[in-house]
Amino acid sequence: MSGTAPHIPVLLDEVLTALAIQPGDVVVDATFGAGGYTRAFLDAGAIVHAFDRDPDAIAAGRNWPETREDPPRLVLHARRFSEMVEVMAEAGVAGVDGIAMDIGVSSMQLDQAERGFAFSLDGPLDMRMDRGRPNAADFVNEGDEAEIADVLWRYGEERQSRRVARAIVAARPLTTTGELAEVVRKAVGYRPFSNKGGAQKDPATRSFQAIRIHVNGELDELEHGLASAEQLLGEGGRLAVVSFHSLEDRIVKNFLREAANAVPGGSRHLPEMRSSTRPRFGQVSKAIRPSQAETERNPRARSATLRAATRTAAPPLTAQEHAA
């Protein structure tokens, strides 16, 4: 991979508008991936610190010429984005002008069968974004049936989670993505062309999403990443977060709503809720979704949602306050 990304970054124009990058701005790309956002940030004149927990993505990024400039305009960090405050402090950067977060699995990971993220490409049952943790095969082959069902329900919103979990346990050991997908399909009685107008959505999608989120601790990572972004952005700094399903978007929406003191207005039954702290974010956007033209050009953009906001002068909450 060279400095030109081999995939299509989602909602790129909208992210650039939200960040309003000026030459010399310091910007964090919290999810480097194949580098689509980073390329656009560099072209806009930014100094970019790019994070990725996937060592393959970081290794490919080291070929970019901007990493060899003096001083470098692209600095790569093989770390989680939840660690961005500590990592930037180690790099001597106290605050940044913009942060972009593209949540979830990257196109590069989906398109590599050996990574085990997609059931459309039969490969080993892995799904790890980094190697230092148990993989999907470990979970489905060793996990308790009740735990598997809970993960499928919580992270995949799978209504037949108990039936699917029971089928997974009965079919163990499972070693490939194709094997797991077939078990899920049989468990829910999937018939691809039973509905009018074509095939229904493959039910394996929900289970694969759930297991991937669990294996990588993605929702906890997102919550910690948002809190870290709040600490790192200076007054007027801009945050742009692209998510791909309702669980992620709900976390982002609720975080920004609370940080902007945009709490529910109350009713005659419940008193109005007011925060005792000053708003930490302002100019919070409504949900921004891709145009029809973009989804036709890039079908993977269909479920994307962008939310953006601007940091105020109010001090950030501490980690303890966020956890409370």
Side-chain angles (χ1 to χ4, degrees):
M1 180 173 58
S2 68
T4 301
H7 76 132
I8 306 173
V10 173
L11 290 166
L12 177 59
D13 291 341
E14 291 82 355
V15 168
L16 288 172
T17 297
L19 295 183
I21 295 171
Q22 300 298 312
D25 278 358
V26 178
V27 175
V28 167
D29 184 347
T31 46
F32 178 63
Y37 290 129
T38 286
R39 167 50 54 206
F41 301 160
L42 291 169
D43 290 346
I47 299 163
V48 180
H49 286 259
F51 286 70
D52 208 300
R53 61 197 289 190
D54 186 340
D56 292 347
I58 295 296
R62 299 203 189 283
N63 294 324
W64 289 37
E66 291 85 357
T67 64
R68 298 187 291 275
E69 294 179 7
D70 186 19
R73 286 199 303 125
L74 172 59
V75 182
L76 297 165
H77 302 285
R79 301 279 290 274
R80 297 167 178 262
F81 59 69
S82 60
E83 303 173 305
M84 68 176 83
V85 174
E86 305 93 276
V87 173
M88 295 299 283
E90 292 167 5
V93 179
V96 301
D97 302 294
I99 296 175
M101 303 170 71
D102 180 1
I103 306 304
V105 65
S106 74
S107 297
M108 184 172 61
Q109 292 164 333
L110 285 170
D111 292 337
Q112 296 175 0
E114 65 272 17
R115 300 300 299 274
F117 282 99
F119 54 82
S120 59
L121 302 169
D122 195 26
L125 198 52
D126 194 322
M127 300 193 196
R128 292 174 297 178
M129 294 180 180
D130 52 13
R131 303 296 195 270
R133 58 192 305 122
N135 64 18
D138 295 327
F139 174 65
V140 300
N141 289 319
E142 299 172 13
D144 179 83
E145 182 179 319
E147 180 190 12
I148 294 172
D150 182 58
V151 165
L152 298 180
W153 169 258
R154 184 185 306 171
Y155 299 140
E157 299 176 311
E158 172 55 68
R159 288 175 293 179
Q160 301 187 65
S161 59
R162 293 182 180 178
R163 179 182 296 180
V164 174
R166 188 162 54 248
I168 287 173
V169 171
R172 297 196 297 207
L174 296 167
T175 60
T176 71
T177 55
E179 290 172 353
L180 176 60
E182 190 58 29
V183 168
V184 174
R185 292 175 188 131
K186 288 182 178 179
V188 301
Y190 175 60
R191 294 187 297 275
F193 300 101
S194 62
N195 64 316
K196 295 181 180 180
Q200 51 189 303
K201 184 177 181 180
D202 195 317
T205 302
R206 296 188 295 272
S207 292
F208 269 64
Q209 170 188 295
I211 293 169
R212 189 204 80 219
I213 288 173
H214 172 73
V215 164
N216 294 290
E218 292 178 36
L219 299 189
D220 286 342
E221 179 74 1
L222 174 56
E223 291 177 349
H224 292 138
L226 292 168
S228 296
E230 178 185 314
Q231 293 184 57
L232 196 55
L233 286 167
E235 181 181 359
R238 296 163 297 279
L239 174 66
V241 186
V242 177
S243 60
F244 288 86
H245 60 74
S246 59
L247 296 176
E248 296 168 343
D249 182 55
R250 193 176 305 135
I251 290 172
V252 178
K253 178 177 68 175
N254 290 342
F255 171 85
L256 291 176
R257 178 181 292 172
E258 184 278 328
N261 287 357
V263 291
S267 69
R268 64 190 180 94
H269 302 292
L270 292 172
E272 186 171 0
M273 298 171 63
R274 291 293 181 189
S275 171
S276 60
T277 62
R278 294 159 54 200
R280 306 182 311 277
F281 278 94
Q283 301 177 43
V284 178
S285 74
K286 295 182 179 179
I288 300 169
R289 296 190 170 87
S291 65
Q292 181 177 345
E294 177 168 2
T295 57
E296 290 174 353
R297 185 172 68 251
N298 181 14
R300 285 179 177 168
R302 283 193 306 266
S303 58
T305 301
L306 166 65
R307 294 185 187 272
T310 301
R311 190 72 172 84
T312 69
L317 295 186
T318 66
Q320 292 76 15
E321 289 171 324
H322 273 294

